[in-house]
Structures are given as C-alpha cells and as structure tokens.
Amino acid sequence: MREFATLADMQALTGQELAVSDWVEITQERVNLFADATEDHQWIHVDLERCARESPFGGPVAHGFLTLSLISGLFERALRMVDAKMVVNYGLNKVRFPAPVPVGSRVRARLTLQQVEPIDGGAQLEWSVVVEREGGTKPVCVAELLIRRYA
C-alpha cells in the first residue's frame, strides 16, 4: 500500500500512476452472491453447464458491474491518504468493459491521479482506474472515478 501524508504530496504527482492494488480472485461464489444482490442472474454469469455449451468465453464470466464495484476496495487496499478524515465516492465520468473476466481470474487496479479540484472542506480527485486481469492483454474495466476527500 502506498501512503500519502498530505493532499499536496499527491497533487504533486498529478498525471502519474500512484498505486497498484493487490490481486483479487473472482470466484464463482463471488459472482453468485453479486447475482443475488443485484437480481442479475443472466446465464453467462451463473449457469455453468450452459456456459460450457454456449458461451463464447468458454465458461462463466463476472458481471461488468461486479468488476466496477470492486474498485472501491481495490483502491482502499492500494492507497491511503493519511490526513483525510473522510473519503467518499462522488461518481464516475466514464466506464467501459473492454474485456471479460472469466471466473477463476485475478484482477487488480492501477490508479492514476488525473486532476484535483478544491471543494468546500476538501478536494475532489479525478482518478483514471484501469482494472486488469492477470495474464490478459486488454483491460477488463476502465473508469474515470471521482472521489471527495475531506481533511
């Protein structure tokens, strides 16, 4: 995990990759729990037999939104803002899923600080987040993440 004592320390590195998370495994159990939580039981995620017969991916794949939802946890394990009292997700500007995440894969996030804007009581940070699959040739998720940090 990379730690930054102050916002100024991070801001000085705007435009650079600041952290890379550890790998996280995408298990069928995780996919099934996500399907239950979101009520998205599309067969390409949860029907192993049908996936073996019909899926162009050769097996079940994670929901794109499951991959997206992992970003918060990947971020938290990759980077710490020591002087921040509170950090909240503010939104996303753009999200794409260029490649699938087969069940059994491992993913991690690469975090690049793009911009810092002052707000009342803190700052809004725009991050480029690239989620990659171990052994993959294309990212599995690319997002512009907005977070607000308060000191």
Side-chain angles (χ1 to χ4, degrees), residues 68-117:
L68 180 65
S69 71
L70 292 172
I71 288 176
S72 293
L74 294 170
F75 190 102
E76 188 173 313
R77 289 189 296 275
L79 188 140
R80 180 168 176 250
M81 295 175 261
V82 176
D83 68 335
K85 291 186 175 150
M86 181 174 64
V87 177
V88 296
N89 290 321
Y90 187 66
L92 298 154
N93 285 336
K94 184 178 179 182
V95 177
R96 298 290 183 266
F97 305 107
V101 179
V103 168
S105 298
R106 294 191 329 155
V107 297
R108 70 178 177 187
R110 296 184 166 280
L111 308 171
T112 301
L113 181 61
Q114 299 289 45
Q115 186 175 355
V116 177
E117 292 181 37

mmCIF file of all heavy atoms in Angstrom, residues 68-117:
data_model
loop_
_atom_site.group_PDB
_atom_site.id
_atom_site.type_symbol
_atom_site.label_atom_id
_atom_site.label_comp_id
_atom_site.label_asym_id
_atom_site.label_seq_id
_atom_site.Cartn_x
_atom_site.Cartn_y
_atom_site.Cartn_z
ATOM 1 N N LEU A 68 -16.666 -3.417 -11.676
ATOM 2 C CA LEU A 68 -16.713 -1.997 -11.326
ATOM 3 C C LEU A 68 -16.839 -1.811 -9.816
ATOM 4 O O LEU A 68 -16.168 -0.967 -9.229
ATOM 5 C CB LEU A 68 -17.881 -1.327 -12.043
ATOM 6 C CG LEU A 68 -18.075 0.160 -11.781
ATOM 7 C CD1 LEU A 68 -16.896 0.967 -12.309
ATOM 8 C CD2 LEU A 68 -19.382 0.633 -12.427
ATOM 9 N N SER A 69 -17.691 -2.612 -9.181
ATOM 10 C CA SER A 69 -17.919 -2.445 -7.741
ATOM 11 C C SER A 69 -16.692 -2.788 -6.911
ATOM 12 O O SER A 69 -16.572 -2.341 -5.768
ATOM 13 C CB SER A 69 -19.116 -3.275 -7.287
ATOM 14 O OG SER A 69 -18.821 -4.650 -7.297
ATOM 15 N N LEU A 70 -15.779 -3.556 -7.455
ATOM 16 C CA LEU A 70 -14.555 -3.898 -6.724
ATOM 17 C C LEU A 70 -13.573 -2.728 -6.626
ATOM 18 O O LEU A 70 -12.657 -2.751 -5.803
ATOM 19 C CB LEU A 70 -13.854 -5.084 -7.392
ATOM 20 C CG LEU A 70 -14.570 -6.423 -7.318
ATOM 21 C CD1 LEU A 70 -13.843 -7.456 -8.183
ATOM 22 C CD2 LEU A 70 -14.692 -6.896 -5.888
ATOM 23 N N ILE A 71 -13.764 -1.718 -7.452
ATOM 24 C CA ILE A 71 -12.801 -0.614 -7.492
ATOM 25 C C ILE A 71 -12.624 0.040 -6.129
ATOM 26 O O ILE A 71 -11.501 0.339 -5.727
ATOM 27 C CB ILE A 71 -13.184 0.414 -8.580
ATOM 28 C CG1 ILE A 71 -12.923 -0.192 -9.964
ATOM 29 C CG2 ILE A 71 -12.404 1.712 -8.402
ATOM 30 C CD1 ILE A 71 -13.359 0.686 -11.126
ATOM 31 N N SER A 72 -13.698 0.257 -5.391
ATOM 32 C CA SER A 72 -13.569 0.909 -4.080
ATOM 33 C C SER A 72 -12.639 0.125 -3.160
ATOM 34 O O SER A 72 -11.757 0.702 -2.517
ATOM 35 C CB SER A 72 -14.937 1.066 -3.412
ATOM 36 O OG SER A 72 -15.718 1.976 -4.116
ATOM 37 N N GLY A 73 -12.833 -1.170 -3.069
ATOM 38 C CA GLY A 73 -11.988 -1.994 -2.206
ATOM 39 C C GLY A 73 -10.559 -2.088 -2.708
ATOM 40 O O GLY A 73 -9.611 -2.060 -1.917
ATOM 41 N N LEU A 74 -10.399 -2.203 -4.019
ATOM 42 C CA LEU A 74 -9.049 -2.249 -4.592
ATOM 43 C C LEU A 74 -8.322 -0.941 -4.295
ATOM 44 O O LEU A 74 -7.142 -0.938 -3.923
ATOM 45 C CB LEU A 74 -9.119 -2.502 -6.098
ATOM 46 C CG LEU A 74 -9.652 -3.867 -6.529
ATOM 47 C CD1 LEU A 74 -9.909 -3.891 -8.034
ATOM 48 C CD2 LEU A 74 -8.713 -4.980 -6.117
ATOM 49 N N PHE A 75 -9.035 0.169 -4.447
ATOM 50 C CA PHE A 75 -8.474 1.496 -4.168
ATOM 51 C C PHE A 75 -8.039 1.573 -2.709
ATOM 52 O O PHE A 75 -6.919 1.995 -2.404
ATOM 53 C CB PHE A 75 -9.531 2.561 -4.472
ATOM 54 C CG PHE A 75 -9.024 3.970 -4.458
ATOM 55 C CD1 PHE A 75 -8.772 4.629 -5.639
ATOM 56 C CD2 PHE A 75 -8.790 4.641 -3.261
ATOM 57 C CE1 PHE A 75 -8.309 5.936 -5.634
ATOM 58 C CE2 PHE A 75 -8.324 5.938 -3.245
ATOM 59 C CZ PHE A 75 -8.081 6.591 -4.436
ATOM 60 N N GLU A 76 -8.924 1.152 -1.811
ATOM 61 C CA GLU A 76 -8.655 1.255 -0.371
ATOM 62 C C GLU A 76 -7.437 0.433 0.052
ATOM 63 O O GLU A 76 -6.699 0.819 0.952
ATOM 64 C CB GLU A 76 -9.887 0.792 0.399
ATOM 65 C CG GLU A 76 -9.783 1.028 1.886
ATOM 66 C CD GLU A 76 -11.084 0.703 2.594
ATOM 67 O OE1 GLU A 76 -12.142 1.147 2.120
ATOM 68 O OE2 GLU A 76 -11.014 0.006 3.612
ATOM 69 N N ARG A 77 -7.219 -0.689 -0.623
ATOM 70 C CA ARG A 77 -6.063 -1.527 -0.282
ATOM 71 C C ARG A 77 -4.777 -1.088 -0.987
ATOM 72 O O ARG A 77 -3.696 -1.559 -0.643
ATOM 73 C CB ARG A 77 -6.373 -2.983 -0.601
ATOM 74 C CG ARG A 77 -7.401 -3.589 0.361
ATOM 75 C CD ARG A 77 -7.554 -5.081 0.183
ATOM 76 N NE ARG A 77 -8.084 -5.473 -1.107
ATOM 77 C CZ ARG A 77 -9.374 -5.529 -1.417
ATOM 78 N NH1 ARG A 77 -10.288 -5.168 -0.541
ATOM 79 N NH2 ARG A 77 -9.762 -5.925 -2.615
ATOM 80 N N ALA A 78 -4.899 -0.188 -1.963
ATOM 81 C CA ALA A 78 -3.728 0.237 -2.729
ATOM 82 C C ALA A 78 -3.154 1.571 -2.277
ATOM 83 O O ALA A 78 -1.961 1.809 -2.409
ATOM 84 C CB ALA A 78 -4.083 0.324 -4.218
ATOM 85 N N LEU A 79 -4.014 2.454 -1.750
ATOM 86 C CA LEU A 79 -3.589 3.823 -1.497
ATOM 87 C C LEU A 79 -4.270 4.346 -0.235
ATOM 88 O O LEU A 79 -5.459 4.135 -0.042
ATOM 89 C CB LEU A 79 -4.007 4.680 -2.708
ATOM 90 C CG LEU A 79 -3.503 6.098 -2.743
ATOM 91 C CD1 LEU A 79 -3.108 6.442 -4.168
ATOM 92 C CD2 LEU A 79 -4.558 7.052 -2.258
ATOM 93 N N ARG A 80 -3.483 5.029 0.577
ATOM 94 C CA ARG A 80 -4.028 5.618 1.805
ATOM 95 C C ARG A 80 -3.667 7.093 1.858
ATOM 96 O O ARG A 80 -2.510 7.468 1.667
ATOM 97 C CB ARG A 80 -3.457 4.905 3.028
ATOM 98 C CG ARG A 80 -3.982 5.473 4.326
ATOM 99 C CD ARG A 80 -3.637 4.568 5.511
ATOM 100 N NE ARG A 80 -4.093 5.205 6.735
ATOM 101 C CZ ARG A 80 -3.278 5.705 7.655
ATOM 102 N NH1 ARG A 80 -1.976 5.603 7.526
ATOM 103 N NH2 ARG A 80 -3.776 6.277 8.732
ATOM 104 N N MET A 81 -4.676 7.919 2.123
ATOM 105 C CA MET A 81 -4.485 9.356 2.306
ATOM 106 C C MET A 81 -4.512 9.603 3.810
ATOM 107 O O MET A 81 -5.577 9.662 4.421
ATOM 108 C CB MET A 81 -5.594 10.127 1.581
ATOM 109 C CG MET A 81 -5.542 9.942 0.086
ATOM 110 S SD MET A 81 -6.923 10.714 -0.771
ATOM 111 C CE MET A 81 -7.976 9.283 -1.023
ATOM 112 N N VAL A 82 -3.335 9.720 4.411
ATOM 113 C CA VAL A 82 -3.183 9.743 5.861
ATOM 114 C C VAL A 82 -3.970 10.873 6.505
ATOM 115 O O VAL A 82 -4.621 10.683 7.537
ATOM 116 C CB VAL A 82 -1.686 9.815 6.245
ATOM 117 C CG1 VAL A 82 -1.502 9.932 7.736
ATOM 118 C CG2 VAL A 82 -0.944 8.592 5.700
ATOM 119 N N ASP A 83 -3.946 12.069 5.921
ATOM 120 C CA ASP A 83 -4.586 13.223 6.556
ATOM 121 C C ASP A 83 -6.078 13.346 6.244
ATOM 122 O O ASP A 83 -6.737 14.255 6.734
ATOM 123 C CB ASP A 83 -3.864 14.518 6.172
ATOM 124 C CG ASP A 83 -4.017 14.873 4.706
ATOM 125 O OD1 ASP A 83 -4.246 13.957 3.883
ATOM 126 O OD2 ASP A 83 -3.898 16.058 4.369
ATOM 127 N N ALA A 84 -6.640 12.437 5.471
ATOM 128 C CA ALA A 84 -8.061 12.514 5.140
ATOM 129 C C ALA A 84 -8.897 11.961 6.295
ATOM 130 O O ALA A 84 -8.656 10.866 6.784
ATOM 131 C CB ALA A 84 -8.346 11.731 3.868
ATOM 132 N N LYS A 85 -9.890 12.749 6.709
ATOM 133 C CA LYS A 85 -10.811 12.292 7.756
ATOM 134 C C LYS A 85 -11.935 11.459 7.169
ATOM 135 O O LYS A 85 -12.477 10.581 7.823
ATOM 136 C CB LYS A 85 -11.386 13.488 8.509
ATOM 137 C CG LYS A 85 -10.342 14.177 9.341
ATOM 138 C CD LYS A 85 -10.943 15.266 10.194
ATOM 139 C CE LYS A 85 -9.838 15.812 11.074
ATOM 140 N NZ LYS A 85 -10.000 17.182 11.409
ATOM 141 N N MET A 86 -12.299 11.764 5.912
ATOM 142 C CA MET A 86 -13.366 11.031 5.250
ATOM 143 C C MET A 86 -13.137 11.079 3.745
ATOM 144 O O MET A 86 -12.749 12.107 3.199
ATOM 145 C CB MET A 86 -14.727 11.654 5.588
ATOM 146 C CG MET A 86 -15.891 10.930 4.964
ATOM 147 S SD MET A 86 -17.511 11.549 5.510
ATOM 148 C CE MET A 86 -17.521 13.226 4.887
ATOM 149 N N VAL A 87 -13.371 9.950 3.093
ATOM 150 C CA VAL A 87 -13.279 9.860 1.640
ATOM 151 C C VAL A 87 -14.577 9.219 1.154
ATOM 152 O O VAL A 87 -14.979 8.174 1.673
ATOM 153 C CB VAL A 87 -12.065 9.013 1.201
ATOM 154 C CG1 VAL A 87 -12.018 8.873 -0.313
ATOM 155 C CG2 VAL A 87 -10.762 9.616 1.723
ATOM 156 N N VAL A 88 -15.236 9.855 0.181
ATOM 157 C CA VAL A 88 -16.495 9.317 -0.334
ATOM 158 C C VAL A 88 -16.450 9.244 -1.859
ATOM 159 O O VAL A 88 -15.809 10.065 -2.515
ATOM 160 C CB VAL A 88 -17.716 10.162 0.105
ATOM 161 C CG1 VAL A 88 -17.887 10.127 1.613
ATOM 162 C CG2 VAL A 88 -17.605 11.589 -0.379
ATOM 163 N N ASN A 89 -17.138 8.242 -2.392
ATOM 164 C CA ASN A 89 -17.308 8.156 -3.839
ATOM 165 C C ASN A 89 -18.264 9.254 -4.260
ATOM 166 O O ASN A 89 -19.317 9.429 -3.643
ATOM 167 C CB ASN A 89 -17.883 6.800 -4.239
ATOM 168 C CG ASN A 89 -16.900 5.683 -4.036
ATOM 169 O OD1 ASN A 89 -15.716 5.834 -4.292
ATOM 170 N ND2 ASN A 89 -17.390 4.547 -3.578
ATOM 171 N N TYR A 90 -17.916 9.979 -5.310
ATOM 172 C CA TYR A 90 -18.772 11.052 -5.804
ATOM 173 C C TYR A 90 -19.443 10.662 -7.119
ATOM 174 O O TYR A 90 -20.533 11.112 -7.426
ATOM 175 C CB TYR A 90 -17.956 12.332 -5.958
ATOM 176 C CG TYR A 90 -18.797 13.533 -6.314
ATOM 177 C CD1 TYR A 90 -19.727 14.038 -5.415
ATOM 178 C CD2 TYR A 90 -18.664 14.147 -7.547
ATOM 179 C CE1 TYR A 90 -20.514 15.133 -5.735
ATOM 180 C CE2 TYR A 90 -19.435 15.247 -7.879
ATOM 181 C CZ TYR A 90 -20.353 15.743 -6.970
ATOM 182 O OH TYR A 90 -21.128 16.827 -7.287
ATOM 183 N N GLY A 91 -18.773 9.819 -7.901
ATOM 184 C CA GLY A 91 -19.372 9.391 -9.157
ATOM 185 C C GLY A 91 -18.337 8.915 -10.147
ATOM 186 O O GLY A 91 -17.155 8.754 -9.830
ATOM 187 N N LEU A 92 -18.822 8.695 -11.345
ATOM 188 C CA LEU A 92 -17.993 8.217 -12.446
ATOM 189 C C LEU A 92 -18.288 9.064 -13.669
ATOM 190 O O LEU A 92 -19.449 9.403 -13.925
ATOM 191 C CB LEU A 92 -18.310 6.752 -12.757
ATOM 192 C CG LEU A 92 -18.041 5.780 -11.619
ATOM 193 C CD1 LEU A 92 -18.921 4.552 -11.744
ATOM 194 C CD2 LEU A 92 -16.574 5.400 -11.607
ATOM 195 N N ASN A 93 -17.255 9.411 -14.415
ATOM 196 C CA ASN A 93 -17.464 10.147 -15.659
ATOM 197 C C ASN A 93 -17.643 9.208 -16.838
ATOM 198 O O ASN A 93 -18.402 9.467 -17.745
ATOM 199 C CB ASN A 93 -16.289 11.084 -15.947
ATOM 200 C CG ASN A 93 -16.314 12.297 -15.047
ATOM 201 O OD1 ASN A 93 -17.346 12.694 -14.538
ATOM 202 N ND2 ASN A 93 -15.152 12.887 -14.839
ATOM 203 N N LYS A 94 -16.917 8.104 -16.832
ATOM 204 C CA LYS A 94 -16.927 7.206 -17.977
ATOM 205 C C LYS A 94 -16.501 5.830 -17.494
ATOM 206 O O LYS A 94 -15.557 5.710 -16.707
ATOM 207 C CB LYS A 94 -15.954 7.721 -19.034
ATOM 208 C CG LYS A 94 -15.920 6.943 -20.311
ATOM 209 C CD LYS A 94 -14.950 7.600 -21.291
ATOM 210 C CE LYS A 94 -14.877 6.810 -22.574
ATOM 211 N NZ LYS A 94 -13.932 7.385 -23.515
ATOM 212 N N VAL A 95 -17.194 4.805 -17.978
ATOM 213 C CA VAL A 95 -16.846 3.425 -17.632
ATOM 214 C C VAL A 95 -16.950 2.581 -18.893
ATOM 215 O O VAL A 95 -17.925 2.698 -19.640
ATOM 216 C CB VAL A 95 -17.797 2.838 -16.565
ATOM 217 C CG1 VAL A 95 -17.448 1.387 -16.274
ATOM 218 C CG2 VAL A 95 -17.763 3.659 -15.294
ATOM 219 N N ARG A 96 -15.974 1.716 -19.094
ATOM 220 C CA ARG A 96 -16.002 0.774 -20.211
ATOM 221 C C ARG A 96 -15.495 -0.580 -19.707
ATOM 222 O O ARG A 96 -14.680 -0.644 -18.781
ATOM 223 C CB ARG A 96 -15.115 1.235 -21.371
ATOM 224 C CG ARG A 96 -15.550 2.553 -21.992
ATOM 225 C CD ARG A 96 -16.861 2.408 -22.761
ATOM 226 N NE ARG A 96 -17.257 3.624 -23.413
ATOM 227 C CZ ARG A 96 -18.080 4.528 -22.915
ATOM 228 N NH1 ARG A 96 -18.569 4.389 -21.710
ATOM 229 N NH2 ARG A 96 -18.416 5.596 -23.600
ATOM 230 N N PHE A 97 -15.981 -1.652 -20.356
ATOM 231 C CA PHE A 97 -15.558 -3.019 -20.043
ATOM 232 C C PHE A 97 -14.984 -3.655 -21.310
ATOM 233 O O PHE A 97 -15.665 -4.403 -22.003
ATOM 234 C CB PHE A 97 -16.748 -3.839 -19.522
ATOM 235 C CG PHE A 97 -17.445 -3.217 -18.336
ATOM 236 C CD1 PHE A 97 -18.690 -2.628 -18.479
ATOM 237 C CD2 PHE A 97 -16.853 -3.220 -17.089
ATOM 238 C CE1 PHE A 97 -19.343 -2.057 -17.392
ATOM 239 C CE2 PHE A 97 -17.487 -2.651 -15.987
ATOM 240 C CZ PHE A 97 -18.738 -2.068 -16.148
ATOM 241 N N PRO A 98 -13.716 -3.362 -21.628
ATOM 242 C CA PRO A 98 -13.134 -3.812 -22.894
ATOM 243 C C PRO A 98 -12.941 -5.328 -23.032
ATOM 244 O O PRO A 98 -12.827 -5.827 -24.148
ATOM 245 C CB PRO A 98 -11.766 -3.116 -22.942
ATOM 246 C CG PRO A 98 -11.844 -2.018 -21.941
ATOM 247 C CD PRO A 98 -12.832 -2.449 -20.911
ATOM 248 N N ALA A 99 -12.888 -6.046 -21.915
ATOM 249 C CA ALA A 99 -12.650 -7.488 -21.985
ATOM 250 C C ALA A 99 -13.381 -8.176 -20.838
ATOM 251 O O ALA A 99 -13.602 -7.574 -19.785
ATOM 252 C CB ALA A 99 -11.144 -7.781 -21.913
ATOM 253 N N PRO A 100 -13.754 -9.455 -21.031
ATOM 254 C CA PRO A 100 -14.459 -10.187 -19.968
ATOM 255 C C PRO A 100 -13.510 -10.623 -18.852
ATOM 256 O O PRO A 100 -12.287 -10.653 -19.031
ATOM 257 C CB PRO A 100 -15.015 -11.404 -20.707
ATOM 258 C CG PRO A 100 -14.050 -11.630 -21.825
ATOM 259 C CD PRO A 100 -13.573 -10.255 -22.235
ATOM 260 N N VAL A 101 -14.122 -10.977 -17.721
ATOM 261 C CA VAL A 101 -13.384 -11.523 -16.575
ATOM 262 C C VAL A 101 -13.895 -12.945 -16.329
ATOM 263 O O VAL A 101 -14.926 -13.136 -15.693
ATOM 264 C CB VAL A 101 -13.593 -10.671 -15.305
ATOM 265 C CG1 VAL A 101 -12.839 -11.279 -14.127
ATOM 266 C CG2 VAL A 101 -13.163 -9.233 -15.533
ATOM 267 N N PRO A 102 -13.193 -13.945 -16.858
ATOM 268 C CA PRO A 102 -13.617 -15.324 -16.609
ATOM 269 C C PRO A 102 -13.532 -15.665 -15.124
ATOM 270 O O PRO A 102 -12.616 -15.212 -14.426
ATOM 271 C CB PRO A 102 -12.613 -16.163 -17.410
ATOM 272 C CG PRO A 102 -12.025 -15.216 -18.415
ATOM 273 C CD PRO A 102 -12.042 -13.872 -17.756
ATOM 274 N N VAL A 103 -14.506 -16.437 -14.646
ATOM 275 C CA VAL A 103 -14.463 -16.900 -13.263
ATOM 276 C C VAL A 103 -13.156 -17.667 -13.063
ATOM 277 O O VAL A 103 -12.722 -18.419 -13.930
ATOM 278 C CB VAL A 103 -15.700 -17.776 -12.945
ATOM 279 C CG1 VAL A 103 -15.526 -18.496 -11.620
ATOM 280 C CG2 VAL A 103 -16.951 -16.922 -12.931
ATOM 281 N N GLY A 104 -12.514 -17.435 -11.933
ATOM 282 C CA GLY A 104 -11.209 -18.025 -11.640
ATOM 283 C C GLY A 104 -10.059 -17.082 -11.922
ATOM 284 O O GLY A 104 -8.919 -17.351 -11.548
ATOM 285 N N SER A 105 -10.346 -15.960 -12.578
ATOM 286 C CA SER A 105 -9.318 -14.959 -12.876
ATOM 287 C C SER A 105 -8.974 -14.151 -11.636
ATOM 288 O O SER A 105 -9.733 -14.109 -10.668
ATOM 289 C CB SER A 105 -9.814 -13.973 -13.939
ATOM 290 O OG SER A 105 -10.092 -14.604 -15.144
ATOM 291 N N ARG A 106 -7.847 -13.469 -11.727
ATOM 292 C CA ARG A 106 -7.482 -12.491 -10.703
ATOM 293 C C ARG A 106 -7.387 -11.133 -11.376
ATOM 294 O O ARG A 106 -6.905 -11.025 -12.500
ATOM 295 C CB ARG A 106 -6.148 -12.865 -10.047
ATOM 296 C CG ARG A 106 -6.237 -14.146 -9.270
ATOM 297 C CD ARG A 106 -5.058 -14.468 -8.378
ATOM 298 N NE ARG A 106 -3.766 -13.988 -8.816
ATOM 299 C CZ ARG A 106 -2.743 -13.740 -7.990
ATOM 300 N NH1 ARG A 106 -2.873 -13.946 -6.692
ATOM 301 N NH2 ARG A 106 -1.593 -13.326 -8.452
ATOM 302 N N VAL A 107 -7.861 -10.109 -10.653
ATOM 303 C CA VAL A 107 -7.835 -8.741 -11.177
ATOM 304 C C VAL A 107 -7.151 -7.814 -10.180
ATOM 305 O O VAL A 107 -7.074 -8.112 -8.984
ATOM 306 C CB VAL A 107 -9.259 -8.216 -11.493
ATOM 307 C CG1 VAL A 107 -9.920 -9.039 -12.578
ATOM 308 C CG2 VAL A 107 -10.132 -8.155 -10.247
ATOM 309 N N ARG A 108 -6.643 -6.706 -10.699
ATOM 310 C CA ARG A 108 -6.091 -5.650 -9.849
ATOM 311 C C ARG A 108 -6.324 -4.312 -10.533
ATOM 312 O O ARG A 108 -6.655 -4.250 -11.718
ATOM 313 C CB ARG A 108 -4.607 -5.871 -9.576
ATOM 314 C CG ARG A 108 -3.716 -5.665 -10.777
ATOM 315 C CD ARG A 108 -2.257 -5.857 -10.408
ATOM 316 N NE ARG A 108 -1.404 -5.724 -11.582
ATOM 317 C CZ ARG A 108 -0.116 -5.984 -11.569
ATOM 318 N NH1 ARG A 108 0.469 -6.395 -10.449
ATOM 319 N NH2 ARG A 108 0.594 -5.836 -12.663
ATOM 320 N N ALA A 109 -6.154 -3.238 -9.772
ATOM 321 C CA ALA A 109 -6.404 -1.888 -10.293
ATOM 322 C C ALA A 109 -5.123 -1.069 -10.310
ATOM 323 O O ALA A 109 -4.318 -1.135 -9.384
ATOM 324 C CB ALA A 109 -7.458 -1.181 -9.446
ATOM 325 N N ARG A 110 -4.985 -0.277 -11.360
ATOM 326 C CA ARG A 110 -3.915 0.710 -11.485
ATOM 327 C C ARG A 110 -4.556 2.082 -11.363
ATOM 328 O O ARG A 110 -5.531 2.375 -12.062
ATOM 329 C CB ARG A 110 -3.205 0.578 -12.830
ATOM 330 C CG ARG A 110 -2.487 -0.739 -12.996
ATOM 331 C CD ARG A 110 -1.700 -0.787 -14.319
ATOM 332 N NE ARG A 110 -0.781 -1.887 -14.286
ATOM 333 C CZ ARG A 110 0.400 -1.905 -13.673
ATOM 334 N NH1 ARG A 110 0.826 -0.827 -13.053
ATOM 335 N NH2 ARG A 110 1.158 -2.972 -13.689
ATOM 336 N N LEU A 111 -4.013 2.914 -10.463
ATOM 337 C CA LEU A 111 -4.635 4.195 -10.114
ATOM 338 C C LEU A 111 -3.741 5.362 -10.519
ATOM 339 O O LEU A 111 -2.603 5.473 -10.045
ATOM 340 C CB LEU A 111 -4.884 4.250 -8.606
ATOM 341 C CG LEU A 111 -5.644 3.055 -8.019
ATOM 342 C CD1 LEU A 111 -5.638 3.116 -6.498
ATOM 343 C CD2 LEU A 111 -7.050 3.003 -8.561
ATOM 344 N N THR A 112 -4.280 6.210 -11.371
ATOM 345 C CA THR A 112 -3.562 7.392 -11.830
ATOM 346 C C THR A 112 -4.377 8.625 -11.463
ATOM 347 O O THR A 112 -5.547 8.737 -11.855
ATOM 348 C CB THR A 112 -3.336 7.346 -13.351
ATOM 349 O OG1 THR A 112 -2.593 6.171 -13.676
ATOM 350 C CG2 THR A 112 -2.585 8.580 -13.839
ATOM 351 N N LEU A 113 -3.777 9.541 -10.725
ATOM 352 C CA LEU A 113 -4.442 10.788 -10.362
ATOM 353 C C LEU A 113 -4.439 11.713 -11.573
ATOM 354 O O LEU A 113 -3.379 12.056 -12.096
ATOM 355 C CB LEU A 113 -3.731 11.450 -9.177
ATOM 356 C CG LEU A 113 -4.333 12.753 -8.667
ATOM 357 C CD1 LEU A 113 -5.761 12.554 -8.175
ATOM 358 C CD2 LEU A 113 -3.463 13.336 -7.562
ATOM 359 N N GLN A 114 -5.644 12.116 -12.007
ATOM 360 C CA GLN A 114 -5.766 12.967 -13.197
ATOM 361 C C GLN A 114 -5.920 14.444 -12.864
ATOM 362 O O GLN A 114 -5.399 15.294 -13.576
ATOM 363 C CB GLN A 114 -6.972 12.525 -14.041
ATOM 364 C CG GLN A 114 -6.868 11.110 -14.550
ATOM 365 C CD GLN A 114 -5.829 10.949 -15.640
ATOM 366 O OE1 GLN A 114 -4.716 11.460 -15.553
ATOM 367 N NE2 GLN A 114 -6.173 10.227 -16.666
ATOM 368 N N GLN A 115 -6.671 14.735 -11.791
ATOM 369 C CA GLN A 115 -6.978 16.135 -11.505
ATOM 370 C C GLN A 115 -7.402 16.271 -10.047
ATOM 371 O O GLN A 115 -8.002 15.370 -9.473
ATOM 372 C CB GLN A 115 -8.112 16.590 -12.422
ATOM 373 C CG GLN A 115 -8.458 18.036 -12.344
ATOM 374 C CD GLN A 115 -9.520 18.406 -13.394
ATOM 375 O OE1 GLN A 115 -9.919 17.610 -14.221
ATOM 376 N NE2 GLN A 115 -9.970 19.633 -13.327
ATOM 377 N N VAL A 116 -7.090 17.440 -9.475
ATOM 378 C CA VAL A 116 -7.518 17.780 -8.114
ATOM 379 C C VAL A 116 -8.196 19.143 -8.172
ATOM 380 O O VAL A 116 -7.625 20.098 -8.697
ATOM 381 C CB VAL A 116 -6.316 17.824 -7.138
ATOM 382 C CG1 VAL A 116 -6.764 18.249 -5.751
ATOM 383 C CG2 VAL A 116 -5.591 16.484 -7.107
ATOM 384 N N GLU A 117 -9.425 19.211 -7.644
ATOM 385 C CA GLU A 117 -10.162 20.468 -7.591
ATOM 386 C C GLU A 117 -10.570 20.751 -6.156
ATOM 387 O O GLU A 117 -11.077 19.858 -5.477
ATOM 388 C CB GLU A 117 -11.442 20.380 -8.431
ATOM 389 C CG GLU A 117 -11.224 20.280 -9.913
ATOM 390 C CD GLU A 117 -12.555 20.227 -10.665
ATOM 391 O OE1 GLU A 117 -13.515 20.913 -10.248
ATOM 392 O OE2 GLU A 117 -12.622 19.493 -11.645
#
